[in-house]
Amino acid sequence: VEAILDAAELVIGEAGVEAATTNAIAERAGASVGSLYHFFPNKDAILQALTLRYAEAMRSVLRRELRMEEPWVPLEELFPQMINSFAALDHEYPGYMAVCRATDSASGGKSPISLQTEAYMQQLVRTLLLRRLPGIPEAEAMQHAVLSVVVVHATLDHIGSVPESDRAGLRAALVEMLVRYFTPIEAKYPRSAN
């Protein structure tokens, strides 16, 4: 199963979702098409399995990079590490954005897996804000979490579609935007000196 998913990722990363066939995926995996169909009845099932794989990888990166155990890390350190880790994830999983777009499109909006992952990320960011900003109301923390997750996801999606030479500059601009957004919020709810 993992070999098939690894192969599907490579084929989709190179050719795109539409051009990726089960024959090409099976060939890349060194398996017969019959073996592929034993585990996955069709290409949509492969896409769903890849979406689950990507969702867990994204959650893992966010859990690690939000550094919940040290919520006081300066924003200028926190955001570059997080955005760079997401960029590394795109390199590790070359078909990530194509698969997300395809499964969302097939759902007529965001797929259930995308919605669950987004909600999970929003809750993590909300928790970080509550730890980092004593006194922030929970509803306000959730608003900032929702907005930042949506903006980061949309921006990273866009960055994946531009030439490689433009990506670093756009990631740096995203980091600067996040720092500028959260700096006044931190000033509004400062930590005590104790």
Side-chain angles (χ1 to χ4, degrees), residues 3 14 19 27 29 37 39 49 57 63-64 66-67 82 85 87 91 105 122 129 132 135 137 140 148 158 174 184 193:
E14 293 167 2
E27 184 179 324
Y37 285 131
F39 297 107
R63 279 192 304 267
R64 181 183 71 239
L66 280 179
R67 297 167 71 174
M82 186 174 61
S85 289
H91 285 291
S105 176
Q122 291 167 354
L129 291 174
R132 192 174 173 100
E140 184 179 344
S148 60
H158 172 72
L174 175 60

Side-chain angles (χ1 to χ4, degrees), residues 6-68:
D6 290 344
E9 211 170 279
L10 292 171
V11 171
I12 290 168
E14 293 167 2
V17 172
E18 291 302 317
T21 64
T22 52
N23 286 338
I25 293 167
E27 184 179 324
R28 180 67 70 92
S32 69
V33 175
S35 294
L36 182 145
Y37 285 131
H38 176 75
F39 297 107
F40 301 102
N42 53 42
K43 187 165 77 170
D44 286 341
I46 295 170
L47 293 177
Q48 288 300 316
L50 284 174
T51 303
L52 286 171
R53 176 190 262 194
Y54 298 150
E56 183 48 44
M58 183 71 77
R59 290 174 182 186
S60 177
V61 165
L62 197 61
R63 279 192 304 267
R64 181 183 71 239
E65 295 305 333
L66 280 179
R67 297 167 71 174
M68 296 296 224

Side-chain angles (χ1 to χ4, degrees), residues 17 42 51 71 74 77 120 123 129 133 137-138 146:
V17 172
N42 53 42
T51 303
E77 182 181 333
Y120 177 82
Q123 287 299 327
L129 291 174
L133 310 173
E138 286 196 34
V146 168

Side-chain angles (χ1 to χ4, degrees), residues 17-162:
V17 172
E18 291 302 317
T21 64
T22 52
N23 286 338
I25 293 167
E27 184 179 324
R28 180 67 70 92
S32 69
V33 175
S35 294
L36 182 145
Y37 285 131
H38 176 75
F39 297 107
F40 301 102
N42 53 42
K43 187 165 77 170
D44 286 341
I46 295 170
L47 293 177
Q48 288 300 316
L50 284 174
T51 303
L52 286 171
R53 176 190 262 194
Y54 298 150
E56 183 48 44
M58 183 71 77
R59 290 174 182 186
S60 177
V61 165
L62 197 61
R63 279 192 304 267
R64 181 183 71 239
E65 295 305 333
L66 280 179
R67 297 167 71 174
M68 296 296 224
E69 73 285 352
E70 28 180 349
W72 53 87
V73 172
L75 296 174
E76 297 80 7
E77 182 181 333
L78 180 70
F79 289 128
Q81 289 175 342
M82 186 174 61
I83 298 304
N84 288 335
S85 289
F86 286 139
L89 196 63
D90 283 343
H91 285 291
E92 185 177 348
Y93 299 107
Y96 169 73
M97 291 311 294
V99 169
C100 289
R101 282 188 207 103
T103 54
D104 287 352
S105 176
S107 299
K110 290 192 175 181
S111 70
I113 296 166
S114 290
L115 290 171
Q116 290 167 3
T117 302
E118 192 171 273
Y120 177 82
M121 292 177 174
Q122 291 167 354
Q123 287 299 327
L124 273 182
V125 173
R126 174 192 155 276
T127 300
L128 177 70
L129 291 174
L130 291 171
R131 288 182 182 176
R132 192 174 173 100
L133 310 173
I136 190 170
E138 286 196 34
E140 184 179 344
M142 193 63 194
Q143 287 174 340
H144 296 306
V146 168
L147 182 62
S148 60
V149 167
V150 168
V151 166
V152 167
H153 187 266
T155 305
L156 291 175
D157 184 18
H158 172 72
I159 289 171
S161 69
V162 301

